[in-house]
Amino acid sequence: MRYPEYRPRRLRKNGLLREMIRETHLRPDDFILPLFVRPGKGVKKPISSMPGHFQLSIDLLVKEVKEARALGILGVILFGIPEKKDELGSEAYSKDGIIQRAVRQIKEKVDGILVITDVCLCEYTSHGHCGVVRDGRILNDETLELLSRQALSHAEAGADIVGPSDMMDGRVGAIRKILDENQFEETPILSYAAKYASGFYGPFRVAAESKPLFGDRKSYQMDPANGDEALREVQLDIEEGADMVMVKPALPYLDIIFRVKQTFNIPVAAYNVSGEFAMVKAASKLGWVDGDQVMMESLIAIKRAGADLILTYFAKEAAQKIESGK
Ligand code: PBG
């Protein structure tokens, strides 16, 4: 059937019809809210390139998590700014590190929300790289031991899910092993499986104070030009024990999200990263786009591509919009 018998516009005629045949729906529980935690009390330090986001001390972080829960969000992911950084990022795996303390407090004070921890050294090392550095190189195997200790310390503090974001080879297997050896065989791993060396992380690195002091992350994060390689990375992580896999960033990599979802039968998360958020906010502030519309369109596109979960700085705003029925 074709025009004039068939008219696709018939089903777009009004809002009710459009709603009836809509294929993809967003819900607050699709979203995971990233949060930044820093030492102190009563601290709420704005992140200039990420309006509405702050470095929070633990007391205010707990409040923020409660607010997210009240909006129907079921997960937060935590990033820590430590008291002090050193060559080996020792606060990353210390029992009383900023994340370990934050997790204990959230688990004690908030019900019904999952705490995911980001397992990576870059926020804790003085050089800002995600691994152990020797002679200007980022060492893989030496890093695995530190990441394993970090993941275990998060699980011991009460983390519901650990999320390795470092992109070292073999880290998912190493983390699975140490968790299992310590009776955390039921703690899931959400691996940042296909994480690209992206310019879209700019605002995050300011927010998390984690910009590398020399060089870049291209020797461990993926080349934006590669798609097949993402599938190999995902496959390896699944074989090593990942329960969920992530593609990051999201919008410039919708093809990767789609291919991962089509190829593997496993929950797929997509990280709508800081730069994606900042661009929408900036353009909207200038009056160049409608910020709300572009936010919802971006999120639905990520879900339509195949993401089961979306890590996004829009989580609260989008959840609010969905709940208010617009
Ligand atoms: C690394 C990490 C990064 C992000 C999440 N985890 C940054 C990086 O690799 O430099 C970026 C997230 C974002 O841009 O929102 N620990």
Side-chain angles (χ1 to χ4, degrees):
M1 203 173 34
R2 35 196 299 204
Y3 174 82
E5 292 78 25
Y6 182 58
R7 293 173 180 266
R9 284 187 55 190
R10 274 184 208 127
L11 294 180
R12 290 179 211 140
K13 196 165 54 189
N14 60 46
L16 269 182
L17 273 167
R18 290 193 293 271
E19 204 172 322
M20 181 180 261
I21 62 151
R22 187 159 297 141
E23 299 170 34
T24 314
H25 299 269
L26 286 169
R27 306 193 326 192
D29 60 13
D30 291 326
F31 308 134
I32 294 170
L33 173 66
L35 293 169
F36 300 94
V37 53
R38 66 168 304 130
K41 220 176 162 341
V43 182
K44 186 172 182 178
K45 200 173 159 204
I47 299 160
S48 61
S49 54
M50 299 171 68
H53 287 267
F54 305 84
Q55 293 181 346
L56 299 168
S57 53
I58 295 176
D59 51 332
L60 298 185
L61 177 80
V62 167
K63 232 177 108 206
E64 184 73 9
V65 175
K66 282 184 183 157
E67 269 181 51
R69 180 63 192 92
L71 289 167
I73 294 164
L74 298 186
V76 293
I77 182 162
L78 303 183
F79 298 95
I81 295 105
E83 206 88 53
K84 56 180 190 321
K85 303 180 187 241
D86 59 34
E87 189 66 23
L88 292 177
S90 52
E91 199 177 318
Y93 36 90
S94 139
K95 187 170 181 299
D96 285 311
I98 181 76
I99 289 294
Q100 291 80 354
R101 285 187 285 131
V103 173
R104 283 196 293 268
Q105 284 296 310
I106 295 172
K107 294 293 12 168
E108 196 186 306
K109 303 207 163 106
V110 197
D111 280 334
I113 194 155
L114 297 164
V115 177
I116 308 170
T117 54
D118 185 78
V119 177
C120 191
L121 298 180
C122 61
E123 292 125 58
Y124 307 91
T125 50
S126 42
H127 44 71
H129 276 288
C130 305
V132 177
V133 172
R134 196 173 305 142
D135 303 326
R137 287 180 48 237
I138 289 77
L139 304 182
N140 193 85
D141 298 7
E142 287 79 349
T143 303
L144 297 186
E145 198 204 313
L146 303 184
L147 292 169
S148 308
R149 283 168 60 187
Q150 184 182 17
L152 177 61
S153 73
H154 291 171
E156 283 170 344
D160 296 293
I161 300 171
V162 293
S165 74
D166 51 282
M167 287 299 279
M168 297 298 129
D169 294 331
R171 90 270 205 220
V172 174
I175 290 171
R176 188 69 270 160
K177 180 162 177 284
I178 199 170
L179 291 177
D180 289 358
E181 284 167 358
N182 289 276
Q183 288 78 53
F184 289 105
E185 59 284 292
E186 295 199 346
T187 301
I189 298 175
L190 163 61
S191 81
Y192 288 63
K195 176 173 176 179
Y196 287 87
S198 172
F200 288 93
Y201 305 152
F204 173 95
R205 290 184 187 167
V206 176
E209 304 179 10
S210 63
K211 192 175 182 323
L213 285 191
F214 68 90
D216 53 43
R217 302 207 202 287
K218 290 181 186 163
S219 76
Y220 40 106
Q221 299 179 348
M222 284 182 53
D223 182 341
N226 297 351
D228 295 346
E229 189 188 348
L231 299 188
R232 288 199 295 279
E233 281 283 4
V234 169
Q235 176 157 10
L236 283 170
D237 282 7
I238 295 173
E239 284 168 5
E240 288 177 30
D243 301 280
M244 300 183 269
V245 292
M246 193 197 296
V247 174
K248 178 183 173 190
L251 282 181
Y253 298 87
L254 292 183
D255 58 324
I256 309 299
I257 297 172
F258 180 78
R259 288 176 71 185
V260 170
K261 189 61 195 173
Q262 297 291 310
T263 311
F264 302 98
N265 181 19
I266 193 168
V268 176
Y271 201 143
N272 177 224
V273 301
S274 57
E276 299 175 60
F277 175 81
M279 289 195 308
V280 174
K281 287 293 176 191
S284 155
K285 192 171 164 190
L286 285 165
W288 291 354
V289 298
D290 176 332
D292 272 12
Q293 190 185 349
V294 170
M295 162 178 80
M296 296 313 276
E297 185 177 339
S298 302
L299 296 169
I300 205 116
I302 295 167
K303 187 157 180 192
R304 193 193 62 232
D308 300 291
L309 290 168
I310 307 171
L311 292 83
T312 179
Y313 302 94
F314 288 121
K316 282 174 65 189
E317 287 171 72
Q320 238 150 8
K321 219 176 153 55
I322 294 165
E323 291 301 84
S324 71
K326 288 194 286 159

